[in-house]
């Protein structure tokens, strides 16, 4: 039988202070009976922008993660993006994110340890 690639994401992403730093975070869980090896998460934000010339389009910005790779993903993983001056989220509030129709897109890849099958899934969060 084919293995079920069941990696699930928390329903919401939160922004709170962790160790004194404003941080975006969410959780990923492995619902499988076995482990995922070489697990990697990538995260970006997509938002509407306007140029000085008055053109509107959607632009992608990478979100640097505190940790984007785990050699072994067994149970859960809290994904964190520190909102520092270098972050595309810096100085934005909820209304700004809603106005820009911001969407945080998360992709997860790894390899099923028991079956050596690649696992790929994605999830998104909106303001």
């Amino acid at each position: 039988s084919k293995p079920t690639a069941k990696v699930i994401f928390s329903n919401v992403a939160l922004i709170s202070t962790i160790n004194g730093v404003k941080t975006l975070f969410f959780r990923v869980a492995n619902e499988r009976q076995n482990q995922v090896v070489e697990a990697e998460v990538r995260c970006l934000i997509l938002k509407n922008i306007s140029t000085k010339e008055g053109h509107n389009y959607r632009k992608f910005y990478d979100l640097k993660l505190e940790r984007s790779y785990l050699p072994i993903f067994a149970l859960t993983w809290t994904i964190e993006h520190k909102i520092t001056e270098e972050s595309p989220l810096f100085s934005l509030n909820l209304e700004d994110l809603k106005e820009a129709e911001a969407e945080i897109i998360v992709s997860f890849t790894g390899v099923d340890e028991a079956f050596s099958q690649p696992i790929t899934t994605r999830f998104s969060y909106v303001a």
Side-chain angles (χ1 to χ4, degrees), residues 3 32-37 111-117 119:
R32 309 175 55 73
Q33 296 297 319
N34 50 329
Q35 297 176 355
V36 176
V37 296
V111 177
D112 178 287
E113 182 181 53
F115 297 96
S116 295
Q117 293 281 342
I119 296 170

Side-chain angles (χ1 to χ4, degrees), residues 6-17:
K6 198 66 176 158
V7 174
I8 58 173
F9 296 82
S10 57
N11 291 329
V12 294
L14 301 174
I15 294 177
S16 187
T17 301

Side-chain angles (χ1 to χ4, degrees), residues 47-59 61:
K47 60 183 183 174
N48 293 335
I49 66 159
S50 297
T51 66
K52 292 178 183 176
E53 297 77 20
H55 303 290
N56 298 316
Y57 65 97
R58 302 278 281 164
K59 186 168 180 181
Y61 299 88

Side-chain angles (χ1 to χ4, degrees), residues 38-68:
E38 304 298 318
E40 186 172 7
V41 171
R42 292 190 177 159
C43 201
L44 54 89
I45 186 166
L46 174 62
K47 60 183 183 174
N48 293 335
I49 66 159
S50 297
T51 66
K52 292 178 183 176
E53 297 77 20
H55 303 290
N56 298 316
Y57 65 97
R58 302 278 281 164
K59 186 168 180 181
F60 292 93
Y61 299 88
D62 292 321
L63 296 179
K64 183 181 178 199
L65 301 178
E66 187 71 14
R67 170 169 296 285
S68 62

Side-chain angles (χ1 to χ4, degrees), residues 94-110:
L94 181 59
E95 290 308 312
D96 296 331
L97 294 171
K98 285 181 179 178
E99 184 178 320
E101 297 179 17
E103 181 176 5
I104 295 170
I105 300 171
V106 183
S107 68
F108 176 97
T109 58

